[in-house]
Amino acid sequence: MGREFVGKTVRSISLLVLTLASMVASGQAQAKPNHLGGQASPYLKRAVSQPVDWYPWSAEAFKRAIALDRPILLDVRAVWCPWCSLMDRDTYTNFATAEYINHHFVRIKVDFDAAPDLVAQLQRAQAILNLPAGLPLTSFITPDGKLYFGGGYLPAEHKAHKLSFREAGEGALKRYADKSKIAEESFQLEIVQGR
């Protein structure tokens, strides 16, 4: 029984060491900061180590979207919103989803409490377009600031009646490709002009 106990203990320790090494490796992958470093907002500070390469609301992000001809994922969240925290944990820390987002969109994260004018305009625009207008607020806009698609909470994987982020993202990309449809069914955000 002594040797059996020692054998089990050695295997358990080995498994623990491998698990810890895996956690450290994934932690290092997450530790690569995105463009949110130096932001004052507590909410944006929380998202600095997410694998999504977030930008703050800035002219730089819009210039990048124009240069790449990519739609903008405009993500509005609040530190006090439980659904926002769930989406951050479930969707934006999922490496496969983050890779998809980074590849197809220019990503802007906004703190709900720090941008009341922008948030009010987005919520109004999404309601006019018959899109979810509460929190979490997930908006897709053109590089020139036209809201054309949006949603609320989008999990990493399809759940019951909730589209996954990838499913919603595919819908946003398909609509973005149809410029005539965007001209007909979009809302020009005024605040974009002042970025």
Side-chain angles (χ1 to χ4, degrees):
M1 181 159 183
R3 286 185 182 176
E4 185 178 314
F5 176 75
V6 170
K8 285 183 181 179
T9 302
V10 168
R11 281 191 297 275
S12 295
I13 291 172
S14 297
L15 183 60
L16 179 62
V17 168
L18 287 173
T19 302
L20 289 173
S22 173
M23 289 170 65
V24 167
S26 67
Q28 287 172 342
Q30 285 182 311
K32 181 184 175 222
N34 50 38
H35 294 90
L36 296 178
Q39 297 296 307
S41 156
Y43 180 71
L44 296 182
K45 285 179 182 179
R46 260 185 13 186
V48 166
S49 63
Q50 287 179 357
V52 174
D53 189 13
W54 295 113
Y55 286 84
W57 180 265
S58 64
E60 176 188 5
F62 282 86
K63 286 177 187 172
R64 182 145 176 81
I66 290 167
L68 296 173
D69 188 25
R70 284 189 192 164
I72 295 170
L73 163 61
L74 182 55
D75 181 73
V76 179
R77 305 283 184 260
V79 72
W80 45 264
C81 167
W83 284 101
C84 299
S85 296
L86 179 62
M87 189 165 169
D88 276 342
R89 278 192 318 271
D90 179 45
T91 306
Y92 296 139
T93 58
N94 178 296
F95 285 102
T97 302
E99 183 178 319
Y100 171 81
I101 292 169
N102 291 338
H103 182 72
H104 293 287
F105 303 96
V106 172
R107 299 92 19 218
I108 298 177
K109 191 173 262 302
V110 173
D111 182 338
F112 177 91
D113 295 312
D117 293 340
L118 173 62
V119 170
Q121 194 176 142
L122 276 170
Q123 288 181 315
R124 185 171 141 254
Q126 291 215 175
I128 288 169
L129 295 175
N130 201 26
L131 299 168
L135 283 178
L137 188 59
T138 308
S139 303
F140 295 90
I141 64 174
T142 63
D144 62 343
K146 290 184 182 85
L147 172 71
Y148 70 94
F149 191 69
Y153 168 70
L154 299 170
E157 302 295 328
H158 186 97
K159 294 181 181 178
H161 301 292
K162 288 281 183 196
L163 291 177
S164 70
F165 186 94
R166 184 179 286 257
E167 290 167 324
E170 289 299 318
L173 291 169
K174 185 176 179 182
R175 288 184 189 203
Y176 182 73
D178 188 350
K179 304 297 187 209
S180 63
K181 189 138 179 122
I182 287 178
E184 294 172 14
E185 298 176 19
S186 65
F187 188 96
Q188 179 65 53
L189 299 171
E190 295 169 18
I191 197 154
V192 171
Q193 295 154 358
R195 283 192 276 283

